[in-house]
Amino acid sequence: MDGPKSPVEELLELLKDPFRQPLTDGAIWSALGTSVGITAVTALIFSLVRPYNTVIYAPKLKHADEKHAPPPIGKGIFAWVMPLWRTTEKDLVAHADKVAQQKWSLRFTPANVWGQPLWALVVIGYLFNIVICSFLWWNYRQVLRLRRIYFESEEYQRSLSARTLMLNDIPKNMASDEGVARIIDSAVPQSSFSRTVIARNVKLIPSLIEQHDHTVRKLEKVLAKYLKDPLNLPPARPRCYPSKKDPSYSTYPKGQKIDAIDYLTQRIRELEIEIKEVRNSLDKRNTLSYGFASYDDISEAHAIAYTLRKKKPLGATVVLAPKPNDIIWDNMPLTPSTRSWRRLTINFWILLLTFLWIVPNAFIAIFVANLSNLGLVWKDFQTQLSTNTTFWTIVQGVASPAVTSLTYLILPIIFRRLSIRAGDRTKTGRDRHVVGKLYAFFVFNNLIVFSLFNTVWSFVVTVIKSTSGGTDVGNAILNSKFFDTLFISLCSVSAFWVTWLLQRNLGAAIDLAQLWPLIYSFFMRKFSSPTPREMIELTAPPTFDYPSYYNYFLFYSTVALCFGGLQPLVLPAAALYFSIDVWLKKYLLLYIFVTKNESGGVFWRVVYNRFVFGTILANLVIFLAVFQRGDGQHLQAFSTVPLPFIMIIFKIYCSRVFDAKIRFYSTQSINRNTDTSALKDPLRSSNLAARFGHPALYRNLITPMVHAKAQNILASIYKGRLSDGRTADSGDTLSTSGYSDAYAWF
């Protein structure tokens, strides 16, 4: 009789089969109870706190204009419920049937079913595809309808970007205002004349403006403390060390502090003079490889972009221009080779991170997903596990999905920062790439590796043992029963995904609570001296993180699709999460978050393509199930082969029917003869240059802000510029207030 195994032997056995120790009874119960209970308690606390913290829980009521303001919301405890109820949404599912313990839940899977009964799973596979295709098709039509409404809106019709084309990778010999026009004329000679502008090299201006903004903010902090009580100023003025970035740093006494207000005022004045001189000295002949061409008619601009979507006239690419505030200006001058090299480098680092994460993710799959496995290699913990069964049952249902979720909170930040360096020209384009990379990482590591690691490990161990005993590699692979082990593993791990989906409700409740902004705002206001600018930023509506949320929705949808055919309990768990989360996210979008860069619905294709991919993965899981448990002739498996191809054909169909109409306002060919005097109008060309030029050329330099109670004595303390920079002698003949995208040529 074999003796007890050592911890190393137990670890090797667990790597081979981590789910041989079933989840403790009640793990799913505890996940359901804690997720729903904590969500309810959080919602109640939110209802009590919300009326007294509208800065955190309804900033859009203060900052949104009349046109975009959300429905008014009262001060009552539950006053936030009725506005959500009345925003054209139907009542959502708020309760799900209680789910079973793990042993009972395993009976829902086809792990112990063979032969003819699995025809029902084949039917389920086709029903899944039919239902998914129907909803995707219906939503594609709705997106098209919303997109056309967006095109016809007054805001879009008056937008300059709506009638403007962006040309990239312009050859050096064509890098001029006239060259931009010739590039378009070479491909679409029948088009009307356009107002064109080529980009100019702004040199060090962005860096100087950044230094200027930093210095102004630093002075604001000094003034906020010094002028905290304007009627009783401190006897000593604030002092600071000179900045090492200051060119005149060596002229100041080394290691000694100087008057902070005088020094920062002087530094701001020097930077403003330097910025003005560099702006005035820019050589208009020092151009870059991108430019813009604007037309009087939106239909013409879109039709030209549609005609040139797959062409490169004279080596340049022609696309619809994004809104100016959506452009990543630092990436615009990058050459195609530089852009490709950056993209390759960033993809390499993401790929490396993806594979490096396999090892910690495997240990999470073995020990975090099932605490009983940890007890096998840690005898002291096994004693605790046996002694306090109820407590560790609760921990099993709560901790394991929570740890899995918390592990990935930092990933969106990492991926976004990597994508910034990849060379994307627009912020919305960068966000779409972040969604794609996050989804690929999550599906590979958090779904495929997490669910299949033990199968692969068991396969490798079995093949090694067989070959060591004299069996050839081919027979060892055939005798390993890889697909049968894979199928059983998926059935076993399905219970974990039920608990994970239930646990996600806690994340939705935490989003509603806005704990970090609430705590940060409280400490900033009570224990700090925030400047007026910081107070404005503190109370402004935060930006909605679309890439992260899109990825979460896509990932849990993929989990539900892949395991829905094996474990029916996954579907009500996903439905519960979705119904609650949609309800809570509606509040966030109505009253808290704003959209920083409006994409106009172009995220839809990213979401749609990944949903199709998730459905194809689900089709492969169903094929595996009926292949392993179906009749001996595999007729059921062969009947599921068309499913992935149905989704591919459906994707191609939707792309050809809807995409052009969604992307372009008009696709009709152009045949116009327009008066050429517009081309010679310098004022109109100047407006195009002001709105689609680099912000560093036209941006007004900020001035120090102080609290209203100290406004009267500011001029006696600060001797620098207090105007907004739009005076006639500012030196910026093309300066504009902000970067309005309105179509207003006079």
Side-chain angles (χ1 to χ4, degrees):
M1 185 174 180
D2 295 336
K5 297 179 180 179
S6 66
V8 175
E9 292 174 331
E10 290 287 2
L11 176 60
L12 294 176
E13 288 294 326
L14 287 174
L15 289 172
K16 182 178 179 181
D17 184 10
F19 294 100
R20 61 191 178 93
Q21 293 288 329
L23 293 175
T24 56
D25 294 344
I28 297 178
W29 277 93
S30 63
L32 176 62
T34 54
S35 62
V36 175
I38 294 176
T39 299
V41 172
T42 303
L44 179 60
I45 295 175
F46 160 78
S47 300
L48 295 172
V49 175
R50 180 198 61 79
Y52 307 100
N53 293 273
T54 56
V55 169
I56 298 297
Y57 294 114
K60 290 173 66 174
L61 287 175
K62 176 181 178 181
H63 289 270
D65 55 33
E66 182 178 356
K67 181 179 178 181
H68 299 92
I73 185 170
K75 294 290 186 180
I77 294 178
F78 297 106
W80 62 279
V81 175
M82 291 309 296
L84 303 186
W85 183 275
R86 294 167 179 166
T87 51
T88 69
E89 291 288 339
K90 296 181 179 180
D91 189 15
L92 302 175
V93 179
H95 178 74
D97 293 336
K98 289 179 172 60
V99 296
Q101 299 166 349
Q102 195 272 337
K103 292 180 180 178
W104 182 33
S105 66
L106 191 60
R107 298 178 183 178
F108 282 85
T109 70
N112 298 316
V113 180
W114 286 268
Q116 298 299 325
L118 286 182
W119 277 113
L121 191 56
V122 176
V123 174
I124 289 296
Y126 276 91
L127 286 178
F128 273 20
N129 277 38
I130 292 172
V131 171
I132 291 169
C133 289
S134 299
F135 273 94
L136 288 177
W137 178 77
W138 183 85
N139 279 284
Y140 229 128
R141 294 180 62 197
Q142 295 304 309
V143 170
L144 174 59
R145 181 180 65 84
L146 292 174
R147 181 71 170 173
R148 303 311 297 185
I149 294 175
Y150 172 73
F151 282 151
E152 298 295 341
S153 66
E154 179 182 359
E155 181 180 1
Y156 188 82
Q157 291 291 320
R158 289 179 57 82
S159 170
L160 177 61
S161 61
R163 64 193 77 244
T164 302
L165 301 176
M166 181 171 71
L167 288 79
N168 301 303
D169 307 327
I170 298 175
K172 188 64 178 177
N173 61 337
M174 304 295 289
S176 64
D177 292 354
E178 296 76 12
V180 172
R182 288 200 299 270
I183 289 175
I184 297 178
D185 290 342
S186 67
V188 192
Q190 70 273 24
S191 64
S192 64
F193 289 101
S194 60
R195 284 155 297 280
T196 60
V197 61
I198 192 71
R200 289 185 287 161
N201 189 347
V202 296
K203 297 182 179 179
L204 297 177
I205 298 179
S207 175
L208 293 174
I209 292 179
E210 183 179 355
Q211 294 180 45
H212 177 273
D213 290 354
H214 175 75
T215 307
V216 170
R217 286 176 176 269
K218 192 172 181 179
L219 176 61
E220 288 175 343
K221 286 183 176 293
V222 172
L223 293 175
K225 295 179 180 179
Y226 184 64
L227 302 177
K228 191 173 185 178
D229 185 1
L231 300 179
N232 297 285
L233 296 179
R237 285 167 62 94
R239 303 178 68 82
C240 70
Y241 291 105
S243 172
K244 294 182 179 180
K245 295 182 179 180
D246 188 348
S248 59
Y249 173 76
S250 59
T251 63
Y252 293 97
K254 188 175 181 180
Q256 296 183 15
K257 289 186 175 182
I258 57 178
D259 187 287
I261 297 177
D262 290 343
Y263 169 72
L264 294 174
T265 300
Q266 178 63 25
R267 180 62 182 147
I268 291 171
R269 185 182 296 113
E270 292 172 354
L271 286 169
E272 289 178 349
I273 294 174
E274 187 175 3
I275 292 171
K276 180 179 178 180
E277 290 177 349
V278 177
R279 280 176 172 174
N280 292 334
S281 64
L282 289 180
D283 188 352
K284 293 186 177 181
R285 295 170 296 179
N286 189 1
T287 57
L288 300 176
S289 60
Y290 66 95
F292 302 88
S294 187
Y295 295 82
D296 289 330
D297 185 56
I298 294 178
S299 299
E300 181 175 13
H302 280 243
I304 293 175
Y306 175 77
T307 302
L308 302 180
R309 68 192 186 282
K310 296 181 180 179
K311 301 178 181 178
K312 287 191 175 183
L314 302 181
T317 58
V318 182
V319 297
L320 291 172
K323 293 184 178 181
N325 61 1
D326 189 31
I327 297 176
I328 303 176
W329 295 99
D330 290 343
N331 290 345
M332 291 297 292
L334 299 179
T335 63
S337 59
T338 302
R339 200 181 307 277
S340 298
W341 174 251
R342 283 193 177 188
R343 189 177 297 114
L344 180 64
T345 304
I346 297 303
N347 288 338
F348 168 77
W349 284 112
I350 291 177
L351 187 65
L352 182 63
L353 176 62
T354 301
F355 281 98
L356 287 178
W357 191 252
I358 291 177
V359 175
N361 198 37
F363 280 90
I364 292 175
I366 296 171
F367 298 115
V368 179
N370 194 341
L371 296 177
S372 299
N373 293 336
L374 183 58
L376 294 177
V377 297
W378 185 6
K379 298 306 179 183
D380 291 339
F381 180 75
Q382 180 63 46
T383 304
Q384 290 292 325
L385 197 63
S386 303
T387 306
N388 304 289
T389 305
T390 303
F391 172 76
W392 290 110
T393 296
I394 297 175
V395 172
Q396 177 69 70
V398 176
S400 60
V403 170
T404 305
S405 299
L406 290 174
T407 303
Y408 293 93
L409 287 178
I410 198 173
L411 287 176
I413 301 174
I414 296 175
F415 278 63
R416 183 177 286 105
R417 291 184 177 180
L418 287 174
S419 296
I420 289 176
R421 301 186 59 83
D424 287 310
R425 293 188 174 98
T426 63
K427 299 169 186 175
T428 53
R430 176 196 63 200
D431 286 346
R432 292 196 298 273
H433 291 156
V434 170
V435 172
K437 291 179 173 62
L438 276 174
Y439 179 77
F441 185 96
F442 269 57
V443 168
F444 178 77
N445 256 312
N446 210 20
L447 179 60
I448 297 178
V449 172
F450 184 88
S451 301
L452 306 183
F453 179 82
N454 66 296
T455 303
V456 176
W457 181 268
S458 177
F459 169 75
V460 172
V461 171
T462 301
V463 171
I464 292 175
K465 286 184 177 179
S466 299
T467 53
S468 300
T471 307
D472 61 87
V473 177
N475 289 329
I477 294 176
L478 293 176
N479 296 331
S480 64
K481 298 182 179 180
F482 174 79
F483 292 106
D484 186 64
T485 306
L486 174 60
F487 171 68
I488 296 298
S489 174
L490 291 176
C491 292
S492 300
V493 78
S494 63
F496 168 80
W497 290 113
V498 175
T499 62
W500 183 84
L501 287 169
L502 291 172
Q503 193 66 35
R504 287 299 301 155
N505 293 313
L506 180 59
I510 291 175
D511 278 346
L512 179 67
Q514 293 289 292
L515 293 179
W516 170 245
L518 185 65
I519 295 172
Y520 180 75
S521 175
F522 174 79
F523 278 94
M524 280 290 293
R525 286 180 291 176
K526 298 297 182 181
F527 304 103
S528 179
S529 299
T531 67
R533 194 182 308 276
E534 289 175 336
M535 286 298 299
I536 293 174
E537 295 171 347
L538 194 64
T539 60
T543 302
F544 192 76
D545 189 2
Y546 281 99
S548 297
Y549 286 111
Y550 273 134
N551 174 66
Y552 293 147
F553 296 146
L554 286 170
F555 179 68
Y556 81 68
S557 299
T558 303
V559 170
L561 289 173
C562 289
F563 288 94
L566 298 180
Q567 175 56 272
L569 295 178
V570 169
L571 299 179
L576 176 64
Y577 170 40
F578 180 78
S579 59
I580 293 176
D581 203 29
V582 166
W583 185 256
L584 299 182
K585 289 298 185 292
K586 183 186 294 186
Y587 181 91
L588 297 180
L589 288 171
L590 279 175
Y591 293 102
I592 297 180
F593 290 108
V594 295
T595 300
K596 186 175 183 179
N597 300 292
E598 175 59 56
S599 69
V602 296
F603 264 103
W604 166 249
R605 284 190 63 190
V606 177
V607 175
Y608 170 84
N609 289 338
R610 278 139 192 88
F611 211 92
V612 169
F613 175 80
T615 307
I616 293 175
L617 277 183
N619 293 335
L620 297 179
V621 173
I622 290 179
F623 172 82
L624 173 66
V626 296
F627 182 84
Q628 286 301 121
R629 290 294 190 267
D631 54 41
Q633 297 180 351
H634 299 303
L635 180 60
Q636 295 158 330
F638 293 145
S639 64
T640 63
V641 170
L643 291 177
F645 297 99
I646 290 175
M647 296 305 301
I648 294 174
I649 294 172
F650 174 72
K651 169 183 163 43
I652 296 173
Y653 163 77
C654 289
S655 178
R656 292 184 176 179
V657 171
F658 297 111
D659 282 358
K661 297 177 183 178
I662 288 177
R663 185 177 179 186
F664 300 100
Y665 180 75
S666 174
T667 59
Q668 300 297 319
S669 59
I670 303 301
N671 188 8
R672 300 175 184 269
N673 290 312
T674 307
D675 183 11
T676 63
S677 60
L679 181 66
K680 302 177 182 179
D681 189 339
L683 184 57
R684 292 187 174 186
S685 296
S686 295
N687 274 270
L688 178 64
R691 288 174 172 82
F692 278 99
H694 196 292
L697 293 174
Y698 312 103
R699 172 184 169 185
N700 297 318
L701 302 179
I702 64 174
T703 56
M705 298 176 63
V706 296
H707 292 283
K709 60 183 180 181
Q711 192 68 42
N712 293 334
I713 64 172
L714 177 62
S716 62
I717 296 176
Y718 173 68
K719 302 301 182 181
R721 180 177 57 89
L722 293 175
S723 66
D724 61 2
R726 287 177 286 176
T727 56
D729 61 347
S730 64
D732 300 327
T733 58
L734 295 178
S735 291
T736 57
S737 179
Y739 290 94
S740 171
D741 194 30
Y743 176 55
W745 286 320
F746 358 110

